[in-house]
Amino acid sequence: MNMKIAIVDDSPAIRTLVRRMLLACDNPDLHIVAEGQTASEAMQIYVDQKPDVMFLDVEMPGGSGLDVLSRLNCPVVILSTQRKAGLNAKDLRHAIFVDKLHPAEMDLMRAIRSAMDKHAAYRDQQRRAQATLPVRR
């Protein structure tokens, strides 16, 4: 299964780190299709590339990654130096958190799988909610 991945972080060093770690996974199904550094670039990448997974920073020039997250419909791995304390359950409804301060602890394949599982559960919940809405006549 080919997986299109986007990396959006205002730090070139973090984008490089994530890219290198993904390449080190030695998984031929992972394809980095785009990289960006601002919230507006994240949205443009989402529209143009339709990534299967997006690695997304929280604080970027031009807007918050959390604002972007609320408009995405794909699994997201949040990259941040801000511990989870700054994020609430609504922010993380279909995303998981990776702490940039501890890159050695990043298991990106596990993060991708977790984000995809969480996103699938979120979409199932949305479908069930839609199915229970009354039918208009």
Side-chain angles (χ1 to χ4, degrees):
M1 171 181 106
N2 285 332
M3 185 178 306
K4 298 189 300 185
I5 297 175
I7 305 167
V8 182
D9 193 298
D10 60 322
S11 167
I14 294 297
R15 288 195 313 272
T16 298
L17 175 67
V18 171
R19 183 181 341 101
R20 285 182 180 163
M21 292 179 78
L22 287 168
L23 293 173
C25 291
D26 199 30
N27 184 332
D29 292 335
L30 299 181
H31 302 281
I32 300 169
V33 295
E35 293 186 22
Q37 57 187 355
T38 66
S40 60
E41 287 176 4
M43 283 309 303
Q44 194 62 53
I45 288 168
Y46 176 71
V47 169
D48 293 346
Q49 300 294 328
K50 298 173 183 45
D52 298 306
V53 176
M54 183 177 285
F55 284 80
L56 181 66
D57 189 12
V58 172
E59 289 192 18
M60 297 179 288
S64 166
L66 298 180
D67 294 336
V68 173
L69 175 62
S70 69
R71 300 186 317 212
L72 298 179
N73 189 19
C74 72
V76 176
V77 177
I78 295 174
L79 301 167
S80 182
T81 57
Q82 301 176 18
R83 297 281 180 175
K84 282 186 185 181
L87 306 172
N88 64 43
K90 181 180 176 231
D91 297 331
L92 295 173
R93 69 184 184 279
H94 63 107
I96 66 153
F97 176 86
V98 172
D99 187 348
K100 291 193 294 190
L101 291 177
H102 301 94
E105 297 173 11
M106 285 189 208
D107 180 342
L108 298 186
M109 286 307 297
R110 185 173 62 205
I112 290 169
R113 283 191 296 273
S114 295
M116 292 183 80
D117 290 347
K118 194 166 190 178
H119 183 67
Y122 173 72
R123 286 184 26 211
D124 287 345
Q125 179 184 14
Q126 284 184 316
R127 277 193 284 267
R128 284 193 302 275
Q130 286 287 0
T132 62
L133 292 175
V135 176
R136 287 198 220 177
R137 294 181 180 190

